[in-house]
CSV table of all heavy atoms in Angstrom, one decimal:
chain,number,residue,atom,x,y,z
A,1289,PRO,N,-1.7,14.7,1.0
A,1289,PRO,CA,-3.1,14.8,1.4
A,1289,PRO,C,-4.2,14.5,0.3
A,1289,PRO,O,-5.2,13.9,0.6
A,1289,PRO,CB,-3.2,16.2,2.0
A,1289,PRO,CG,-1.8,16.6,2.3
A,1289,PRO,CD,-1.0,15.9,1.2
A,1290,ARG,N,-3.9,15.0,-0.9
A,1290,ARG,CA,-4.8,14.8,-2.0
A,1290,ARG,C,-4.8,13.3,-2.4
A,1290,ARG,O,-5.9,12.7,-2.7
A,1290,ARG,CB,-4.4,15.6,-3.2
A,1290,ARG,CG,-5.3,15.5,-4.4
A,1290,ARG,CD,-4.8,16.4,-5.5
A,1290,ARG,NE,-5.7,16.4,-6.7
A,1290,ARG,CZ,-5.6,15.6,-7.7
A,1290,ARG,NH1,-4.6,14.7,-7.8
A,1290,ARG,NH2,-6.5,15.6,-8.7
A,1291,THR,N,-3.7,12.6,-2.3
A,1291,THR,CA,-3.6,11.2,-2.6
A,1291,THR,C,-4.4,10.4,-1.7
A,1291,THR,O,-5.2,9.5,-2.1
A,1291,THR,CB,-2.1,10.7,-2.6
A,1291,THR,OG1,-1.3,11.5,-3.5
A,1291,THR,CG2,-2.0,9.3,-2.9
A,1292,GLU,N,-4.4,10.7,-0.4
A,1292,GLU,CA,-5.2,10.0,0.6
A,1292,GLU,C,-6.7,10.3,0.4
A,1292,GLU,O,-7.5,9.4,0.5
A,1292,GLU,CB,-4.7,10.4,2.0
A,1292,GLU,CG,-5.4,9.6,3.1
A,1292,GLU,CD,-4.9,9.8,4.5
A,1292,GLU,OE1,-3.8,10.5,4.6
A,1292,GLU,OE2,-5.5,9.4,5.4
A,1293,ARG,N,-7.0,11.6,0.1
A,1293,ARG,CA,-8.4,12.0,-0.1
A,1293,ARG,C,-9.0,11.3,-1.3
A,1293,ARG,O,-10.2,10.8,-1.2
A,1293,ARG,CB,-8.4,13.5,-0.2
A,1293,ARG,CG,-9.8,14.1,0.0
A,1293,ARG,CD,-9.8,15.6,-0.2
A,1293,ARG,NE,-8.6,16.2,0.1
A,1293,ARG,CZ,-7.9,16.9,-0.8
A,1293,ARG,NH1,-8.2,16.9,-2.0
A,1293,ARG,NH2,-6.8,17.5,-0.4
A,1294,ILE,N,-8.3,11.2,-2.4
A,1294,ILE,CA,-8.8,10.7,-3.7
A,1294,ILE,C,-8.8,9.2,-3.7
A,1294,ILE,O,-9.7,8.5,-4.1
A,1294,ILE,CB,-8.1,11.3,-4.9
A,1294,ILE,CG1,-8.5,12.8,-5.0
A,1294,ILE,CG2,-8.5,10.5,-6.2
A,1294,ILE,CD1,-7.9,13.4,-6.2
A,1295,PHE,N,-7.6,8.6,-3.3
A,1295,PHE,CA,-7.4,7.2,-3.5
A,1295,PHE,C,-7.5,6.4,-2.2
A,1295,PHE,O,-7.3,5.1,-2.2
A,1295,PHE,CB,-6.0,6.9,-4.1
A,1295,PHE,CG,-5.9,7.5,-5.5
A,1295,PHE,CD1,-5.3,8.7,-5.7
A,1295,PHE,CD2,-6.3,6.7,-6.5
A,1295,PHE,CE1,-5.1,9.2,-7.0
A,1295,PHE,CE2,-6.2,7.2,-7.8
A,1295,PHE,CZ,-5.6,8.5,-8.0
A,1296,ASP,N,-7.8,7.0,-1.0
A,1296,ASP,CA,-7.7,6.4,0.3
A,1296,ASP,C,-6.4,5.6,0.4
A,1296,ASP,O,-6.4,4.4,0.8
A,1296,ASP,CB,-9.0,5.4,0.4
A,1296,ASP,CG,-9.1,4.9,1.8
A,1296,ASP,OD1,-8.7,5.6,2.8
A,1296,ASP,OD2,-9.7,3.9,2.0
A,1297,PHE,N,-5.3,6.3,0.1
A,1297,PHE,CA,-4.0,5.6,0.1
A,1297,PHE,C,-3.0,6.5,0.8
A,1297,PHE,O,-2.7,7.6,0.4
A,1297,PHE,CB,-3.6,5.5,-1.4
A,1297,PHE,CG,-2.3,4.7,-1.6
A,1297,PHE,CD1,-2.4,3.3,-1.7
A,1297,PHE,CD2,-1.1,5.3,-1.8
A,1297,PHE,CE1,-1.2,2.6,-2.0
A,1297,PHE,CE2,0.0,4.6,-2.0
A,1297,PHE,CZ,0.0,3.2,-2.1
A,1298,LYS,N,-2.6,6.1,2.0
A,1298,LYS,CA,-1.7,6.8,2.8
A,1298,LYS,C,-0.3,6.6,2.3
A,1298,LYS,O,0.2,5.4,2.2
A,1298,LYS,CB,-1.8,6.5,4.3
A,1298,LYS,CG,-3.1,6.9,4.9
A,1298,LYS,CD,-3.1,6.5,6.4
A,1298,LYS,CE,-4.4,6.9,7.0
A,1298,LYS,NZ,-4.5,6.6,8.5
A,1299,TYR,N,0.4,7.6,1.9
A,1299,TYR,CA,1.7,7.5,1.3
A,1299,TYR,C,2.7,8.6,1.7
A,1299,TYR,O,2.3,9.8,1.8
A,1299,TYR,CB,1.5,7.5,-0.2
A,1299,TYR,CG,2.8,7.4,-1.1
A,1299,TYR,CD1,3.6,6.3,-0.9
A,1299,TYR,CD2,3.1,8.4,-2.0
A,1299,TYR,CE1,4.8,6.2,-1.7
A,1299,TYR,CE2,4.3,8.3,-2.7
A,1299,TYR,CZ,5.1,7.2,-2.6
A,1299,TYR,OH,6.2,7.1,-3.3
A,1300,ARG,N,3.9,8.2,2.0
A,1300,ARG,CA,4.9,9.2,2.2
A,1300,ARG,C,6.2,8.6,1.8
A,1300,ARG,O,6.4,7.4,1.7
A,1300,ARG,CB,5.0,9.6,3.7
A,1300,ARG,CG,5.4,8.5,4.7
A,1300,ARG,CD,5.7,9.1,6.0
A,1300,ARG,NE,6.1,8.1,7.0
A,1300,ARG,CZ,6.8,8.3,8.1
A,1300,ARG,NH1,7.1,9.6,8.4
A,1300,ARG,NH2,7.1,7.4,9.0
A,1301,LEU,N,7.1,9.5,1.5
A,1301,LEU,CA,8.5,9.1,1.0
A,1301,LEU,C,9.3,9.0,2.3
A,1301,LEU,O,9.5,9.9,3.1
A,1301,LEU,CB,9.1,10.2,0.1
A,1301,LEU,CG,10.4,9.9,-0.6
A,1301,LEU,CD1,10.2,8.7,-1.5
A,1301,LEU,CD2,10.8,11.1,-1.4
A,1302,GLU,N,9.9,7.8,2.4
A,1302,GLU,CA,10.7,7.5,3.7
A,1302,GLU,C,12.2,7.5,3.5
A,1302,GLU,O,12.9,6.9,4.3
A,1302,GLU,CB,10.2,6.1,4.2
A,1302,GLU,CG,8.7,6.1,4.6
A,1302,GLU,CD,8.3,4.7,5.1
A,1302,GLU,OE1,8.2,3.8,4.4
A,1302,GLU,OE2,8.1,4.6,6.4
A,1303,ILE,N,12.7,8.1,2.5
A,1303,ILE,CA,14.1,8.2,2.2
A,1303,ILE,C,14.8,8.7,3.4
A,1303,ILE,O,15.9,8.3,3.8
A,1303,ILE,CB,14.4,9.0,1.0
A,1303,ILE,CG1,14.0,8.3,-0.3
A,1303,ILE,CG2,15.9,9.4,0.9
A,1303,ILE,CD1,14.1,9.1,-1.6
A,1304,TYR,N,14.3,9.8,4.0
A,1304,TYR,CA,15.0,10.5,5.1
A,1304,TYR,C,14.5,10.0,6.5
A,1304,TYR,O,14.9,10.5,7.5
A,1304,TYR,CB,14.7,12.0,5.0
A,1304,TYR,CG,15.2,12.5,3.7
A,1304,TYR,CD1,14.3,12.9,2.7
A,1304,TYR,CD2,16.6,12.5,3.4
A,1304,TYR,CE1,14.8,13.4,1.5
A,1304,TYR,CE2,17.0,13.0,2.2
A,1304,TYR,CZ,16.1,13.4,1.2
A,1304,TYR,OH,16.6,13.9,0.0
A,1305,VAL,N,13.7,8.9,6.5
A,1305,VAL,CA,13.3,8.2,7.8
A,1305,VAL,C,14.4,7.2,8.2
A,1305,VAL,O,14.8,6.4,7.3
A,1305,VAL,CB,11.9,7.6,7.6
A,1305,VAL,CG1,11.6,6.8,8.9
A,1305,VAL,CG2,10.9,8.6,7.3
A,1306,PRO,N,14.8,7.2,9.4
A,1306,PRO,CA,15.8,6.1,9.8
A,1306,PRO,C,15.3,4.7,9.4
A,1306,PRO,O,14.1,4.4,9.5
A,1306,PRO,CB,15.9,6.3,11.3
A,1306,PRO,CG,15.6,7.7,11.6
A,1306,PRO,CD,14.5,8.1,10.5
A,1307,GLU,N,16.2,3.9,8.9
A,1307,GLU,CA,15.8,2.6,8.4
A,1307,GLU,C,14.9,1.8,9.3
A,1307,GLU,O,13.9,1.2,8.9
A,1307,GLU,CB,17.0,1.8,8.0
A,1307,GLU,CG,16.7,0.5,7.3
A,1307,GLU,CD,18.0,-0.3,6.9
A,1307,GLU,OE1,19.1,0.2,7.1
A,1307,GLU,OE2,17.8,-1.4,6.3
A,1308,LYS,N,15.2,1.7,10.6
A,1308,LYS,CA,14.4,0.9,11.5
A,1308,LYS,C,13.0,1.5,11.7
A,1308,LYS,O,12.1,0.8,12.2
A,1308,LYS,CB,15.1,0.8,12.8
A,1308,LYS,CG,16.4,0.0,12.8
A,1308,LYS,CD,17.1,-0.1,14.1
A,1308,LYS,CE,18.3,-1.0,14.1
A,1308,LYS,NZ,19.0,-1.1,15.4
A,1309,LYS,N,12.8,2.8,11.4
A,1309,LYS,CA,11.5,3.4,11.6
A,1309,LYS,C,10.6,3.4,10.3
A,1309,LYS,O,9.5,3.8,10.3
A,1309,LYS,CB,11.6,4.8,12.1
A,1309,LYS,CG,12.3,4.8,13.5
A,1309,LYS,CD,12.3,6.3,14.0
A,1309,LYS,CE,12.9,6.3,15.4
A,1309,LYS,NZ,12.9,7.7,16.0
A,1310,ARG,N,11.2,2.9,9.2
A,1310,ARG,CA,10.4,2.9,7.9
A,1310,ARG,C,9.3,1.9,8.0
A,1310,ARG,O,9.5,0.8,8.4
A,1310,ARG,CB,11.4,2.7,6.8
A,1310,ARG,CG,12.3,3.8,6.5
A,1310,ARG,CD,13.3,3.4,5.4
A,1310,ARG,NE,14.4,4.4,5.3
A,1310,ARG,CZ,15.6,4.1,4.9
A,1310,ARG,NH1,15.9,2.8,4.5
A,1310,ARG,NH2,16.6,5.0,4.8
A,1311,GLU,N,8.2,2.3,7.5
A,1311,GLU,CA,7.0,1.4,7.4
A,1311,GLU,C,7.1,0.5,6.2
A,1311,GLU,O,6.9,-0.8,6.3
A,1311,GLU,CB,5.7,2.1,7.5
A,1311,GLU,CG,4.5,1.2,7.5
A,1311,GLU,CD,3.2,2.0,7.6
A,1311,GLU,OE1,3.3,3.3,7.5
A,1311,GLU,OE2,2.1,1.4,7.7
A,1312,PHE,N,7.4,1.0,5.1
A,1312,PHE,CA,7.4,0.3,3.8
A,1312,PHE,C,8.8,0.2,3.1
A,1312,PHE,O,9.1,-0.8,2.5
A,1312,PHE,CB,6.4,0.9,2.8
A,1312,PHE,CG,5.0,0.8,3.3
A,1312,PHE,CD1,4.3,2.0,3.8
A,1312,PHE,CD2,4.3,-0.4,3.3
A,1312,PHE,CE1,3.0,1.9,4.2
A,1312,PHE,CE2,3.0,-0.5,3.8
A,1312,PHE,CZ,2.4,0.7,4.2
A,1313,GLY,N,9.6,1.2,3.3
A,1313,GLY,CA,10.9,1.1,2.7
A,1313,GLY,C,11.5,2.4,2.2
A,1313,GLY,O,10.9,3.5,2.4
A,1314,TYR,N,12.7,2.3,1.6
A,1314,TYR,CA,13.5,3.5,1.2
A,1314,TYR,C,12.9,4.2,0.0
A,1314,TYR,O,12.7,5.4,0.0
A,1314,TYR,CB,14.9,3.1,0.9
A,1314,TYR,CG,15.8,4.2,0.4
A,1314,TYR,CD1,16.4,5.1,1.3
A,1314,TYR,CD2,16.1,4.3,-0.9
A,1314,TYR,CE1,17.2,6.1,0.9
A,1314,TYR,CE2,17.0,5.3,-1.4
A,1314,TYR,CZ,17.5,6.2,-0.5
A,1314,TYR,OH,18.3,7.2,-0.9
A,1315,TYR,N,12.6,3.5,-1.1
A,1315,TYR,CA,12.1,4.1,-2.3
A,1315,TYR,C,10.9,3.3,-2.8
A,1315,TYR,O,11.1,2.3,-3.5
A,1315,TYR,CB,13.2,4.1,-3.4
A,1315,TYR,CG,13.0,5.1,-4.5
A,1315,TYR,CD1,13.3,6.5,-4.2
A,1315,TYR,CD2,12.5,4.7,-5.7
A,1315,TYR,CE1,13.1,7.4,-5.2
A,1315,TYR,CE2,12.4,5.7,-6.7
A,1315,TYR,CZ,12.7,7.0,-6.5
A,1315,TYR,OH,12.5,7.9,-7.5
A,1316,VAL,N,9.8,3.7,-2.4
A,1316,VAL,CA,8.5,2.9,-2.6
A,1316,VAL,C,7.7,3.6,-3.7
A,1316,VAL,O,7.4,4.7,-3.7
A,1316,VAL,CB,7.7,2.9,-1.3
A,1316,VAL,CG1,6.4,2.2,-1.5
A,1316,VAL,CG2,8.5,2.1,-0.2
A,1317,LEU,N,7.3,2.7,-4.6
A,1317,LEU,CA,6.5,3.1,-5.8
A,1317,LEU,C,5.1,2.6,-5.6
A,1317,LEU,O,4.9,1.4,-5.4
A,1317,LEU,CB,7.1,2.6,-7.1
A,1317,LEU,CG,8.2,3.4,-7.7
A,1317,LEU,CD1,9.5,3.3,-6.8
A,1317,LEU,CD2,8.5,2.8,-9.1
A,1318,PRO,N,4.1,3.5,-5.6
A,1318,PRO,CA,2.7,3.1,-5.6
A,1318,PRO,C,2.3,2.3,-6.9
A,1318,PRO,O,2.9,2.6,-7.9
A,1318,PRO,CB,1.9,4.4,-5.5
A,1318,PRO,CG,2.8,5.4,-5.0
A,1318,PRO,CD,4.2,5.0,-5.5
A,1319,PHE,N,1.4,1.3,-6.8
A,1319,PHE,CA,1.0,0.5,-7.9
A,1319,PHE,C,-0.4,0.9,-8.3
A,1319,PHE,O,-1.3,0.7,-7.5
A,1319,PHE,CB,1.1,-0.9,-7.6
A,1319,PHE,CG,0.8,-1.9,-8.8
A,1319,PHE,CD1,1.2,-1.6,-10.0
A,1319,PHE,CD2,0.0,-3.0,-8.6
A,1319,PHE,CE1,0.9,-2.4,-11.1
A,1319,PHE,CE2,-0.3,-3.8,-9.6
A,1319,PHE,CZ,0.1,-3.5,-10.9
A,1320,LEU,N,-0.6,1.5,-9.5
A,1320,LEU,CA,-1.9,1.9,-10.0
A,1320,LEU,C,-2.4,0.8,-10.9
A,1320,LEU,O,-1.8,0.3,-11.8
A,1320,LEU,CB,-1.7,3.2,-10.8
A,1320,LEU,CG,-3.0,3.7,-11.6
A,1320,LEU,CD1,-4.1,4.1,-10.6
A,1320,LEU,CD2,-2.6,4.8,-12.5
A,1321,LEU,N,-3.7,0.3,-10.6
A,1321,LEU,CA,-4.3,-0.7,-11.4
A,1321,LEU,C,-5.8,-0.2,-11.6
A,1321,LEU,O,-6.5,-0.1,-10.6
A,1321,LEU,CB,-4.3,-2.0,-10.7
A,1321,LEU,CG,-4.7,-3.2,-11.5
A,1321,LEU,CD1,-3.8,-3.4,-12.7
A,1321,LEU,CD2,-4.7,-4.5,-10.7
A,1322,GLY,N,-6.2,0.0,-12.8
A,1322,GLY,CA,-7.5,0.5,-13.1
A,1322,GLY,C,-7.5,2.0,-12.6
A,1322,GLY,O,-6.6,2.8,-12.9
A,1323,ASP,N,-8.4,2.3,-11.8
A,1323,ASP,CA,-8.5,3.7,-11.2
A,1323,ASP,C,-8.2,3.7,-9.7
A,1323,ASP,O,-8.6,4.6,-9.0
A,1323,ASP,CB,-9.8,4.3,-11.4
A,1323,ASP,CG,-11.0,3.5,-10.8
A,1323,ASP,OD1,-10.8,2.6,-10.0
A,1323,ASP,OD2,-12.2,3.8,-11.2
A,1324,GLU,N,-7.5,2.6,-9.2
A,1324,GLU,CA,-7.1,2.5,-7.8
A,1324,GLU,C,-5.6,2.3,-7.6
A,1324,GLU,O,-5.0,1.7,-8.4
A,1324,GLU,CB,-7.9,1.3,-7.2
A,1324,GLU,CG,-9.4,1.4,-7.2
A,1324,GLU,CD,-10.1,0.2,-6.6
A,1324,GLU,OE1,-9.9,-0.9,-7.2
A,1324,GLU,OE2,-10.7,0.4,-5.6
A,1325,LEU,N,-5.2,2.8,-6.4
A,1325,LEU,CA,-3.8,2.5,-6.0
A,1325,LEU,C,-4.0,1.3,-5.0
A,1325,LEU,O,-4.5,1.4,-4.0
A,1325,LEU,CB,-3.2,3.7,-5.2
A,1325,LEU,CG,-2.9,4.9,-6.1
A,1325,LEU,CD1,-2.4,6.1,-5.2
A,1325,LEU,CD2,-1.9,4.6,-7.1
A,1326,VAL,N,-3.5,0.2,-5.5
A,1326,VAL,CA,-3.8,-1.1,-4.9
A,1326,VAL,C,-2.7,-1.7,-4.1
A,1326,VAL,O,-2.8,-2.7,-3.4
A,1326,VAL,CB,-4.3,-2.1,-5.9
A,1326,VAL,CG1,-5.6,-1.7,-6.6
A,1326,VAL,CG2,-3.2,-2.4,-7.0
A,1327,GLY,N,-1.5,-1.1,-4.2
A,1327,GLY,CA,-0.3,-1.7,-3.5
A,1327,GLY,C,0.9,-0.8,-3.7
A,1327,GLY,O,0.8,0.3,-4.2
A,1328,ARG,N,2.0,-1.3,-3.2
A,1328,ARG,CA,3.3,-0.5,-3.3
A,1328,ARG,C,4.4,-1.5,-3.2
A,1328,ARG,O,4.3,-2.5,-2.6
A,1328,ARG,CB,3.3,0.6,-2.3
A,1328,ARG,CG,3.4,0.1,-0.8
A,1328,ARG,CD,3.1,1.2,0.2
A,1328,ARG,NE,1.7,1.3,0.4
A,1328,ARG,CZ,1.1,2.4,1.0
A,1328,ARG,NH1,1.9,3.4,1.3
A,1328,ARG,NH2,-0.2,2.4,1.2
A,1329,VAL,N,5.5,-1.1,-3.8
A,1329,VAL,CA,6.8,-1.9,-3.8
A,1329,VAL,C,8.0,-1.0,-3.5
A,1329,VAL,O,8.1,0.1,-4.0
A,1329,VAL,CB,7.0,-2.7,-5.1
A,1329,VAL,CG1,6.1,-3.8,-5.3
A,1329,VAL,CG2,6.8,-1.7,-6.3
A,1330,ASP,N,8.8,-1.6,-2.6
A,1330,ASP,CA,10.1,-0.9,-2.3
A,1330,ASP,C,11.1,-1.5,-3.3
A,1330,ASP,O,11.5,-2.7,-3.2
A,1330,ASP,CB,10.5,-1.2,-0.9
A,1330,ASP,CG,11.8,-0.6,-0.5
A,1330,ASP,OD1,12.3,0.4,-1.2
A,1330,ASP,OD2,12.4,-1.0,0.5
A,1331,LEU,N,11.6,-0.7,-4.2
A,1331,LEU,CA,12.4,-1.2,-5.3
A,1331,LEU,C,13.9,-0.7,-5.3
A,1331,LEU,O,14.1,0.4,-4.8
A,1331,LEU,CB,11.8,-0.9,-6.7
A,1331,LEU,CG,10.5,-1.5,-7.1
A,1331,LEU,CD1,10.0,-1.0,-8.4
A,1331,LEU,CD2,10.5,-3.0,-7.0
A,1332,LYS,N,14.7,-1.5,-5.8
A,1332,LYS,CA,16.1,-1.1,-6.1
A,1332,LYS,C,16.6,-1.7,-7.3
A,1332,LYS,O,16.5,-2.9,-7.5
A,1332,LYS,CB,17.0,-1.5,-4.9
A,1332,LYS,CG,18.5,-1.1,-5.1
A,1332,LYS,CD,19.4,-1.5,-4.0
A,1332,LYS,CE,20.8,-1.1,-4.2
A,1332,LYS,NZ,21.7,-1.6,-3.1
A,1333,ALA,N,17.2,-0.9,-8.2
A,1333,ALA,CA,17.8,-1.4,-9.4
A,1333,ALA,C,19.3,-1.6,-9.1
A,1333,ALA,O,20.1,-0.6,-9.0
A,1333,ALA,CB,17.6,-0.4,-10.6
């Protein structure tokens, strides 16, 4: 809730969400640029 309030960035961890219901992915990292959260990536090493 604080992330959304400060950065206007809706974010949740979808690890435990069934794959077909995930909006962004399994392990999504927000991307900070300057003082804004401007994007996100679903990453796997």
Side-chain angles (χ1 to χ4, degrees):
R1290 181 175 185 270
T1291 303
E1292 183 172 354
R1293 195 184 329 116
I1294 290 183
F1295 294 97
D1296 192 23
F1297 187 85
K1298 294 182 179 180
Y1299 178 58
R1300 67 168 178 161
L1301 190 60
E1302 298 182 285
I1303 289 175
Y1304 303 110
V1305 175
E1307 184 174 1
K1308 292 183 179 180
K1309 295 184 178 181
R1310 290 176 192 149
E1311 183 177 4
F1312 295 107
Y1314 177 79
Y1315 201 79
V1316 174
L1317 279 64
F1319 183 42
L1320 173 67
L1321 192 62
D1323 60 15
E1324 297 179 295
L1325 293 176
V1326 295
R1328 64 194 89 197
V1329 284
D1330 182 17
L1331 295 181
K1332 178 182 178 181

